[in-house]
Amino acid sequence: MKKVQLILSVGLMLCLCEMPYGYYNLIRFASCIVFGIMSLNAYKRDNNIECVGYAALAMLFQPLFKIALGREIWQVVDIIAVIVLIIPLIKKMEIAKAGERE
């Protein structure tokens, strides 16, 4: 899942550039799936706050009923989504490094 999160993060950052419309649809679809899986994983860990947050992002990015926010607002949402994807990876790296030191 780590690699998928990194790839999606790069994809979301590319949304800040001018890309073809189909690219944005692809990212919406991929984001919806990844955030949905992350929400399910958080639910299994009994982490309700993360579960709701990831589910909200999955619903925001879902491709069926598009939410028109405007380019500038979507760019902010994309940056926030990247941060949400990267923070768990950083935490896991810190935990792994702490485990190595012990």
Side-chain angles (χ1 to χ4, degrees), residues 58-75:
M59 288 188 292
L60 181 63
F61 280 101
Q62 57 81 27
L64 300 176
F65 302 105
K66 295 181 182 174
I67 300 170
L69 296 177
R71 182 164 173 79
E72 294 81 23
I73 296 175
W74 270 114
Q75 288 179 337

Side-chain angles (χ1 to χ4, degrees), residues 9-29:
S9 296
V10 171
L12 285 165
M13 290 303 291
L14 286 174
C15 286
L16 300 176
C17 304
E18 286 291 324
M19 300 299 280
Y21 184 73
Y23 178 78
Y24 298 111
N25 285 333
L26 175 67
I27 290 296
R28 289 174 69 101
F29 185 74

Side-chain angles (χ1 to χ4, degrees), residues 4-100:
V4 173
Q5 287 174 253
L6 286 174
I7 292 168
L8 182 59
S9 296
V10 171
L12 285 165
M13 290 303 291
L14 286 174
C15 286
L16 300 176
C17 304
E18 286 291 324
M19 300 299 280
Y21 184 73
Y23 178 78
Y24 298 111
N25 285 333
L26 175 67
I27 290 296
R28 289 174 69 101
F29 185 74
S31 297
C32 181
I33 291 171
V34 170
F35 285 124
I37 292 169
M38 291 175 74
S39 177
L40 181 63
N41 290 340
Y43 177 77
K44 289 178 181 177
R45 291 189 317 267
D46 272 340
N47 192 334
N48 293 333
I49 294 173
E50 279 187 22
C51 178
V52 170
Y54 293 141
L57 283 169
M59 288 188 292
L60 181 63
F61 280 101
Q62 57 81 27
L64 300 176
F65 302 105
K66 295 181 182 174
I67 300 170
L69 296 177
R71 182 164 173 79
E72 294 81 23
I73 296 175
W74 270 114
Q75 288 179 337
V76 172
V77 170
D78 291 339
I79 292 169
I80 291 169
V82 168
I83 292 168
V84 167
L85 286 167
I86 297 296
I87 287 175
L89 297 177
I90 293 171
K91 286 182 180 179
K92 287 178 185 176
M93 287 173 39
E94 288 174 356
I95 291 170
K97 286 182 182 179
E100 290 175 3

